[in-house]
Amino acid sequence: EQDDTMIIAWELGLVPRGLASGNGLKELARDVLEVKPTSLKDIGWSKKTGFDRVDPTILRSYAIADARNTFELYQKLEPQMPDRVRGVYESIDRPLVPHIVAMERRGMPVDPEAVEKWYWRLNDECERMAERISWAGSPEKTADMLFDKLGLDPLKVTDAGHLSVDKNVLREYGDVEVVKLLLAWRSKSKLKSTYVEPLRGKEWVHATYNIHGAGTGRLSCSDPNMQNFPWEMMDLFKAPEGMVFVTVDASQLELRVQAAVAQDTRMMEVFRSNGDIHDATRQALGLPNDAKSRTRAKVWNFSILYGAEDRSISELTGEPIDRVAVLARRIRQAYPDVIQWQHNQMRFAAENGY
């Protein structure tokens, strides 16, 4: 069987939120083994040139040090796992490791032709919009245009003391035509820089899958984040000859589990009758009967499930914070068994040292 030092470290609480937090092997070696790690930058590696300009002797020493640190960390951390932690590691996490490794090695095939089509399509759209809002790429110039020249009321100040023009602020001015254009330009620019440009010139991508990369416990992905690619852009990837892509999604699985363990009467009845849990929540919240309101109700369902705070819900739904407080009371009344179960679990965790 294959052990994984970083997973063991996560199980012991040494790596919050896994590799996604930026706490990797080198940081762990520094903190646990008290050694000074060597970075890729230290040996001359760069994203542009890769390992082409790195002296092979230096690269060999770097690899040996990484391997030694990994093994020494394993020797030091593995015996520290309590029985209940070891049980989770040996029965759930460790058996996943070889499958994760196989997924990473195989990678995902890219369609270079589709990549180029998307690149030039988005590039042309961004350039056309930029002709009307040439200041869009500068937060300072954007703030000057919106607040000084157009006279919009500032809503937020950044930690650095500048007027904020982030997405949540701009959405408050949704009826202003130039703001609509700015948001569209940002959206297209992000699609191009985040999802398309990194794929140019590649035939395969090999993402990193993190067993403990997300606070909710699900599998996460990075470099690139395959889970975040918009559905309409999935043609950037192509199945190998003779094969097809299959998409499988368990319908509202987490909410079904929550309903069962909490034995919430109302929620279980919705699922047993093949009802729409998000629409049921929409009705409980007193929201209008439209697609947008159902989406807001969906955010509420998962926010309650994962313990989101009012401020986070406000940002996700666009609701003012005082309105969120009102809706929170309604959802607690709608699913009282879920809320009580959550309180019981938190109390149990606190009393039993979790």
Side-chain angles (χ1 to χ4, degrees):
E1 293 192 350
Q2 299 172 324
D3 283 290
D4 190 304
T5 303
M6 293 306 301
I7 294 177
I8 293 174
W10 189 92
E11 298 281 13
L12 292 171
L14 299 176
V15 186
R17 290 185 178 267
L19 298 179
S21 66
N23 292 292
L25 174 69
K26 299 188 188 309
E27 290 76 16
L28 202 59
R30 178 196 63 208
D31 297 339
V32 177
L33 301 178
E34 298 182 347
V35 299
K36 182 180 180 181
T38 301
S39 68
L40 287 170
K41 188 176 181 181
D42 292 335
I43 65 173
W45 176 91
S46 70
K47 285 188 176 181
K48 186 175 182 180
T49 61
F51 291 103
D52 293 345
R53 298 182 182 178
V54 179
D55 184 285
T57 303
I58 295 176
L59 183 58
R60 182 172 62 248
S61 299
Y62 172 86
I64 291 172
D66 256 13
R68 183 181 63 246
N69 288 341
T70 301
F71 185 61
E72 290 182 0
L73 281 167
Y74 168 76
Q75 288 181 308
K76 190 163 186 176
L77 298 179
E78 198 276 343
Q80 297 181 26
M81 283 193 290
D83 288 342
R84 68 185 182 203
V85 171
R86 186 180 300 278
V88 172
Y89 174 71
E90 293 181 351
S91 64
I92 300 176
D93 290 341
R94 187 168 66 185
L96 272 177
V97 172
H99 302 289
I100 298 297
V101 171
M103 289 167 60
E104 293 178 343
R105 285 178 175 170
R106 182 169 181 82
M108 179 71 79
V110 176
D111 186 338
E113 185 176 335
V115 170
E116 288 304 303
K117 285 182 179 179
W118 271 105
Y119 175 82
W120 289 111
R121 171 184 162 185
L122 292 170
N123 187 72
D124 291 346
E125 290 178 358
C126 289
E127 286 187 351
R128 284 198 299 271
M129 286 187 280
E131 290 176 358
R132 298 172 58 189
I133 49 173
S134 58
W135 36 265
S138 167
E140 292 80 9
K141 291 181 179 179
T142 298
D144 179 65
M145 174 61 69
L146 298 183
F147 305 127
D148 291 342
K149 296 181 180 178
L150 295 181
L152 299 178
D153 293 328
L155 300 178
K156 181 180 173 183
V157 177
T158 67
D159 293 338
H162 304 298
L163 296 178
S164 175
V165 289
D166 65 24
K167 178 174 61 177
N168 292 325
V169 168
L170 294 181
R171 283 175 176 168
E172 296 295 323
Y173 313 113
D175 294 333
V176 180
E177 198 61 36
V178 72
V179 174
K180 292 181 182 178
L181 184 61
L182 175 59
L183 286 170
W185 177 85
R186 286 187 177 180
S187 175
K188 299 291 185 182
S189 296
K190 182 178 180 179
L191 290 176
K192 187 180 81 161
S193 62
T194 303
Y195 302 112
V196 181
E197 288 181 347
L199 299 181
R200 297 189 78 192
K202 295 182 179 179
E203 295 185 357
W204 288 79
V205 290
H206 300 271
T208 297
Y209 296 93
N210 306 312
I211 294 178
H212 289 304
T216 58
R218 66 171 175 79
L219 193 70
S220 72
C221 180
S222 57
D223 301 323
N225 186 349
M226 301 297 299
Q227 297 166 323
N228 265 15
F229 274 82
W231 280 111
E232 66 270 20
M233 300 181 73
M234 289 307 292
D235 62 339
L236 291 168
F237 307 97
K238 63 178 180 180
E241 188 174 350
M243 304 180 75
V244 296
F245 286 132
V246 176
T247 300
V248 179
D249 184 17
S251 177
Q252 303 160 352
L253 180 61
E254 303 100 315
L255 295 174
R256 293 174 186 270
V257 171
Q258 176 181 247
V261 297
Q263 287 292 288
D264 190 279
T265 304
R266 183 171 184 176
M267 192 172 281
M268 287 193 297
E269 179 57 33
V270 172
F271 286 125
R272 284 171 175 163
S273 62
N274 291 319
D276 183 341
I277 189 63
H278 300 317
D279 191 61
T281 299
R282 176 196 64 76
Q283 295 178 51
L285 293 173
L287 301 178
N289 185 11
D290 54 44
K292 184 177 180 181
S293 295
R294 181 186 179 278
T295 299
R296 286 162 59 195
K298 180 178 179 180
V299 172
W300 270 99
N301 277 333
F302 286 100
S303 295
I304 296 301
L305 174 66
Y306 292 119
E309 296 180 351
D310 286 1
R311 186 169 298 280
S312 297
I313 299 174
S314 175
E315 293 176 355
L316 290 168
T317 62
E319 297 275 10
I321 196 73
D322 54 346
R323 172 68 172 164
V324 167
V326 172
L327 296 178
R329 286 195 294 272
R330 292 179 184 175
I331 204 166
R332 285 195 292 269
Q333 293 169 356
Y335 305 120
D337 298 321
V338 165
I339 303 302
Q340 186 59 52
W341 176 81
Q342 289 182 338
H343 289 322
N344 292 343
Q345 294 306 304
M346 287 187 284
R347 184 170 61 251
F348 176 84
E351 293 174 351
N352 290 274
Y354 284 90

